[in-house]
Amino acid sequence: MFDRIAPAYDLLNSVLSLGIDTRWRNKAIAELPASSNSLHILDIATGTGDMCIQARKRYPHYQYTGLDLSDGMLEIGRQRLKKMNIQGIELIQGDSEQLAFGDNRFDAVMAAFGVRNFENLDKGLQEIYRVLKPGGKLIVLEFSRPRRFPFRQLFGFYFKNVLPLIGSWGSKDAQAYKYLYESVQQFPDYDRFTDRLTACGFHSAGFHSLSLGICCIYTGLK
Ligand SMILES: C[S@@+](CC[C@H](N)C(=O)[O-])C[C@H]1O[C@@H](n2cnc3c(N)ncnc32)[C@H](O)[C@@H]1O
């Protein structure tokens, strides 16, 4: 599915979120550990590499590895890196649920709008835990369901009825943006997600919500 929508993905993100997605990603990136050393950061489900590209603006001396299942998304990402003449970011194909890295390898792992798509969430989180160094930090940015009346109802209407129409028109894929709505309804958001992090071994798991609960940033430490 992501291979099919890859050419339209970045533009649709900006249109459908009215550009707020960049701010959400920046807030997640602000959770990365600050260091004068060259930390190695893994971006899980990197897609077209947005998180790596934005994080590099803040921490140009860090090393970034972006990993994704979809060759289509990665190819768009590689073209962006080339066009922007960006070094220090490698984009590789792989499955988050079976990471081809040794244990204790990365200083931090980030994942924006990615973990919701895992077939087996716990397996993916356990793999992330394995490749983090002791003391390393996981930062997850993910959609959640707003809880407050009447925003919950208003946003729910937009997300269920309007967004799939624009998404299907823009991506020429009728299923992808229906899937987005359905996957968010099924995702264990808020403290249900921090409970899963804790069960997978992370400590100090916490979250804060953005834009009245449209998204949350979750963090946990190994
Ligand atoms: C909604 S996109 C998010 C892309 C990017 N992180 C962003 O912020 O725009 C979700 C991405 O997750 C990837 N994905 C889904 N399951 C995956 C898995 N098990 N391993 C690696 N990538 C996966 C998809 O290929 C897709 O590119």
Side-chain angles (χ1 to χ4, degrees):
M1 184 186 79
F2 285 103
D3 278 343
R4 289 199 306 271
I5 65 168
Y9 179 79
D10 288 324
L11 179 64
L12 275 173
N13 263 355
S14 304
V15 171
L16 294 169
S17 75
L18 305 174
I20 301 171
D21 62 318
T22 305
R23 258 192 280 159
W24 292 334
R25 286 195 191 82
N26 270 331
K27 290 207 168 163
I29 285 162
E31 292 284 344
L32 283 174
S35 171
S36 52
N37 298 328
S38 174
L39 303 186
H40 197 171
I41 313 294
L42 174 64
D43 180 29
I44 287 281
T46 193
T48 60
D50 251 346
M51 285 293 279
C52 295
I53 294 171
Q54 278 184 233
R56 197 179 165 280
K57 289 183 190 153
R58 191 176 181 115
Y59 297 115
H61 57 296
Y62 290 1
Q63 240 184 298
Y64 299 93
T65 300
L67 175 135
D68 202 281
L69 264 184
S70 159
D71 276 322
M73 296 288 272
L74 290 168
E75 194 39 45
I76 304 269
R78 290 190 190 109
Q79 287 167 17
R80 288 176 79 192
L81 295 181
K82 207 169 160 194
K83 219 186 262 175
M84 297 162 88
N85 197 20
I86 292 178
Q87 320 287 327
I89 299 177
E90 62 162 356
L91 298 182
I92 58 173
Q93 204 270 343
D95 183 353
S96 312
E97 293 167 44
Q98 240 178 323
L99 292 171
F101 303 113
D103 299 352
N104 309 324
R105 183 69 202 275
F106 295 95
D107 297 287
V109 175
M110 49 191 190
F113 311 113
V115 299
R116 180 176 32 88
N117 303 299
F118 290 177
E119 250 172 55
N120 183 331
L121 178 61
D122 291 331
K123 188 144 185 262
L125 294 176
Q126 282 156 9
E127 274 294 87
I128 291 172
Y129 185 85
R130 181 181 69 74
V131 302
L132 265 175
K133 290 180 185 171
K137 188 170 186 182
L138 168 64
I139 301 144
V140 170
L141 171 64
E142 193 49 85
F143 285 113
S144 45
R145 286 165 300 164
R147 297 199 268 207
R148 271 197 237 150
F149 175 86
F151 186 68
R152 179 186 174 89
Q153 285 71 16
L154 289 171
F155 181 75
F157 180 83
Y158 166 74
F159 206 44
K160 185 175 183 182
N161 302 297
V162 182
L163 185 144
L165 282 181
I166 307 173
S168 140
W169 172 76
S171 66
K172 311 281 176 265
D173 189 306
Q175 286 315 309
Y177 287 82
K178 259 192 211 158
Y179 161 78
L180 171 60
Y181 172 79
E182 281 155 14
S183 63
V184 172
Q185 306 315 300
Q186 280 159 27
F187 184 71
D189 51 8
Y190 301 106
D191 39 7
R192 289 188 299 153
F193 186 70
T194 49
D195 287 348
R196 298 286 275 268
L197 288 180
T198 305
C200 290
F202 291 91
H203 70 88
S204 310
F207 70 88
H208 61 271
S209 61
L210 306 174
S211 302
L212 297 170
I214 296 177
C215 286
C216 282
I217 294 173
Y218 303 91
T219 54
L221 298 173
K222 175 166 177 180

